[in-house]
């Protein structure tokens, strides 16, 4: 195929769907993957009709270890290789660490850490060989600020994606491959509905702290095209990230101890 192909995980809604539309608008064919087949097919039809690009859908569960391989095998069977990867799939796991089941935490780590790293590892050699590649790891502002109680591995997983993106960016410098960690704050999407914290965060955070999924995805696309390794969309989020760098650890943890329950479900 003449057009490049972008693979977007967690593409059925929110930031993933917004990324798919933006990439298609810039001439990419798009491969969409998530668990909800009906929503994937509806988005694929919309993008194909609106932008005139090829769309492929792959229903897959990244909580299963075989998920990343199944996705890429499907694309290979259609004669396609991945030129741009958006690792967007993710969720939050409410509760404290001791109160949750390890099986749930293990599945969480598979989706949030292992799957994105495996997908990047599998597609990167081809990107380097073709001297073109774009990888966006959707991390979070939570990975740049002190940790809070509850959702225990969420910030840790996002921090790992940020460091992973930084290292990968250095390793691929000069190879035509750009790697960006996108670190949004509060975003209008289904994220808080899925983990049951919509009412909590909506009541405790002002409207000016929220961004739309389209705004976040557009910032991520611009950042990876420009070769910027870290992208924090929105002026309030940039300010929070800057202050977090300057706070002594003890102050940061004390702040999260007093304020964390406003947006974390214990």
């Amino acid at each position: 195929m003449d057009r490049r192909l972008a693979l977007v995980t967690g593409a059925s809604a929110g930031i993933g769907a917004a990324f798919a539309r933006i990439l298609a608008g810039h001439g990419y064919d798009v491969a969409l993957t998530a668990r909800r087949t009906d929503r994937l097919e509806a988005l694929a039809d919309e993008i194909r009709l609106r932008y005139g690009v090829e769309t492929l859908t792959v229903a897959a569960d990244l909580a299963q270890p075989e998920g990343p391989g199944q996705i890429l095998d499907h694309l290979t069977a259609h004669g396609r290789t991945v030129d741009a990867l958006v690792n967007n799939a993710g969720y939050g796991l409410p509760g404290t660490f001791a109160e949750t089941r390890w099986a749930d935490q293990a599945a969480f780590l598979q989706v949030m850490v292992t799957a994105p790293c495996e997908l990047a590892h599998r597609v990167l050699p081809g990107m380097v060989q073709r001297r073109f590649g774009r990888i966006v790891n959707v991390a979070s502002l939570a990975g740049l600020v002190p940790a809070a109680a509850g959702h225990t591995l969420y910030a840790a997983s996002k921090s790992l994606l940020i460091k992973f993106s930084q290292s990968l960016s250095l390793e691929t410098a000069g190879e035509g491959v750009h790697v960006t960690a996108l670190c949004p704050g509060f975003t209008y999407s289904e994220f808080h509905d899925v983990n049951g914290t919509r009412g909590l965060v909506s009541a405790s955070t002002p409207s000016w702290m929220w961004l739309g999924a389209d705004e976040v995805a557009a910032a991520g696309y611009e950042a990876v095209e420009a070769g910027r390794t870290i992208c924090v969309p929105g002026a309030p989020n940039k300010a929070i990230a800057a202050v977090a760098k300057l706070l002594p650890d003890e102050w940061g943890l004390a702040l999260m101890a007093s304020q964390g329950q406003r947006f974390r479900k214990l």
Side-chain angles (χ1 to χ4, degrees), residues 4-5 10 14-15 25 38 55 64 86-87 96 124 128 147 159 163 167 172 177 181 205-206 232 263:
R4 293 185 169 116
L5 178 72
I15 296 172
D38 55 339
T55 58
Q64 302 301 317
V86 179
N87 279 315
T96 61
L124 186 59
V128 172
S159 181
K163 296 299 184 183
S167 293
T172 57
V177 178
T205 53
V232 182
F263 49 89

Side-chain angles (χ1 to χ4, degrees), residues 47-135:
I47 288 175
R48 184 168 54 250
L49 292 172
R50 182 176 179 182
Y51 299 104
V53 300
E54 182 183 13
T55 58
L56 299 92
T57 59
V58 191
D61 184 359
L62 291 177
Q64 302 301 317
E66 62 272 17
Q70 289 175 344
I71 293 168
L72 297 179
D73 287 347
H74 180 84
L75 299 182
T76 299
H78 283 77
R80 303 306 303 267
T81 55
V82 176
D83 300 291
L85 169 65
V86 179
N87 279 315
N88 169 72
Y91 61 100
L93 189 61
T96 61
F97 196 62
E99 293 171 342
T100 55
R101 300 187 311 148
W102 175 247
D104 294 333
Q105 295 288 357
F108 176 84
L109 289 174
Q110 172 66 33
V111 173
M112 304 292 283
V113 176
T114 304
C117 290
E118 180 179 351
L119 285 169
H121 188 266
R122 285 173 174 259
V123 303
L124 186 59
M127 292 179 174
V128 172
Q129 183 179 22
R130 296 186 298 274
R131 299 195 63 78
F132 180 90
R134 301 289 186 265
I135 298 176

Side-chain angles (χ1 to χ4, degrees), residues 62-245:
L62 291 177
Q64 302 301 317
E66 62 272 17
Q70 289 175 344
I71 293 168
L72 297 179
D73 287 347
H74 180 84
L75 299 182
T76 299
H78 283 77
R80 303 306 303 267
T81 55
V82 176
D83 300 291
L85 169 65
V86 179
N87 279 315
N88 169 72
Y91 61 100
L93 189 61
T96 61
F97 196 62
E99 293 171 342
T100 55
R101 300 187 311 148
W102 175 247
D104 294 333
Q105 295 288 357
F108 176 84
L109 289 174
Q110 172 66 33
V111 173
M112 304 292 283
V113 176
T114 304
C117 290
E118 180 179 351
L119 285 169
H121 188 266
R122 285 173 174 259
V123 303
L124 186 59
M127 292 179 174
V128 172
Q129 183 179 22
R130 296 186 298 274
R131 299 195 63 78
F132 180 90
R134 301 289 186 265
I135 298 176
V136 178
N137 293 313
V138 179
S140 171
L141 181 63
L144 295 170
V145 301
H151 300 242
T152 320
L153 291 178
Y154 183 80
S157 69
K158 296 303 188 180
S159 181
L160 184 145
L161 283 183
I162 293 167
K163 296 299 184 183
F164 171 57
S165 300
Q166 290 175 319
S167 293
L168 205 57
S169 180
L170 292 174
E171 292 174 10
T172 57
E175 301 287 354
V177 178
H178 298 175
V179 184
T180 294
L182 176 59
C183 304
F186 293 112
T187 304
Y188 290 115
S189 68
E190 295 182 357
F191 177 86
H192 294 100
D193 298 312
V194 172
N195 65 26
T197 59
R198 169 65 62 194
L200 178 67
V201 295
S202 295
S204 62
T205 53
S207 59
W208 53 264
M209 289 191 66
W210 290 79
L211 291 177
D214 291 343
E215 296 175 90
V216 171
Y221 178 82
E222 292 170 6
V224 75
E225 283 300 308
R228 296 198 303 273
T229 307
I230 304 293
C231 173
V232 182
N237 296 325
K238 287 181 172 63
I240 291 169
V243 169
K245 285 185 177 182

